[in-house]
Amino acid sequence: MTFNSAILIHPGLGNSGPQHWQTLWEKEYNFPRIEQRDWETPVRADWTATINDHVSKYDPKNVILVGHSLACTTIAYWAQQYNISIKAALLVAPSDTEADTYPPGTTGFTPVPLIKLPFPSIVVASTDDYYVTLARATQFAEAWGSELVNVGDAGHINVASGFGEWDYGLELLERLEKITI
């Protein structure tokens, strides 16, 4: 598989470990990772500014953001603040920062922005994610103007849920790359 877009990996809270699909993609395809200063107690203003710094290194029309968990919410906040039209975003297992199940320690990530994103996107959700209900993920997808892909009982779509190499995710990414703006 060959990708011509600038595909930027953005992990969620805690970063993505060595066996996480994001890390495997980063290594396999040489995708740059957006490195945040604080992965454990993030501040929204810092995370959105860091996304913007990374996106500004490329032609935005050629950028695809690949977010997991809290990164999905961060990308929505970034879009709301900067209104930059990138090529697309793959938003996997968006966490519901307003839910009782969301871990404490983050600053500024509530409420989840329910705005139309200024770029095409796919939200990938499962039916049994501890950090977001399917109903809430559907609400995010509808508000963001995203296509919703329900992958069934897949937990948080991470290593703990059995996701290392994730071929179907790569297929979705490939579909986004074929978008012409």
Side-chain angles (χ1 to χ4, degrees):
M1 212 172 283
T2 303
F3 294 94
N4 297 314
S5 299
I7 296 169
L8 306 181
I9 300 290
H10 194 299
L13 188 63
N15 204 344
S16 293
Q19 298 307 311
H20 193 284
W21 58 267
Q22 284 187 310
T23 304
L24 298 175
W25 290 7
E26 176 188 359
K27 290 178 181 174
E28 175 75 20
Y29 300 101
N30 203 28
F31 297 157
R33 178 181 294 238
I34 296 174
E35 288 290 347
Q36 294 290 353
R37 186 170 42 89
D38 184 350
W39 291 106
E40 305 306 321
T41 55
V43 175
R44 181 191 79 202
D46 295 341
W47 274 35
T48 54
T50 300
I51 288 176
N52 202 58
D53 289 346
H54 280 76
V55 169
S56 70
K57 295 175 186 176
Y58 303 91
D59 173 1
K61 299 286 187 208
N62 195 41
V63 170
I64 299 174
L65 292 173
V66 178
H68 180 258
S69 194
L70 181 60
C72 301
T73 304
T74 308
I75 290 167
Y77 271 113
W78 170 79
Q80 183 177 49
Q81 181 176 350
Y82 293 95
N83 197 33
I84 295 173
S85 183
I86 59 173
K87 184 169 190 166
L90 181 62
L91 306 168
V92 181
S95 293
D96 186 354
T97 55
E98 298 171 59
D100 292 338
T101 56
Y102 195 76
T106 62
T107 303
F109 292 93
T110 60
V112 175
L114 299 177
I115 56 140
K116 180 156 180 14
L117 300 177
F119 44 81
S121 57
I122 296 173
V123 168
V124 182
S126 80
T127 57
D128 63 345
D129 190 334
Y130 180 75
Y131 298 105
V132 67
T133 64
L134 182 58
R136 191 77 159 127
T138 300
Q139 181 185 17
F140 297 156
E142 288 173 356
W144 296 340
S146 306
E147 175 186 344
L148 177 67
V149 174
N150 177 347
V151 292
D153 293 343
H156 196 48
I157 313 173
N158 59 8
V159 175
S161 305
F163 287 83
E165 278 292 329
W166 184 33
D167 293 336
Y168 183 60
L170 285 170
E171 289 174 25
L172 295 172
L173 182 59
E174 201 172 36
R175 207 165 85 203
L176 287 171
E177 191 183 44
K178 290 178 182 174
I179 292 172
T180 53
I181 303 176

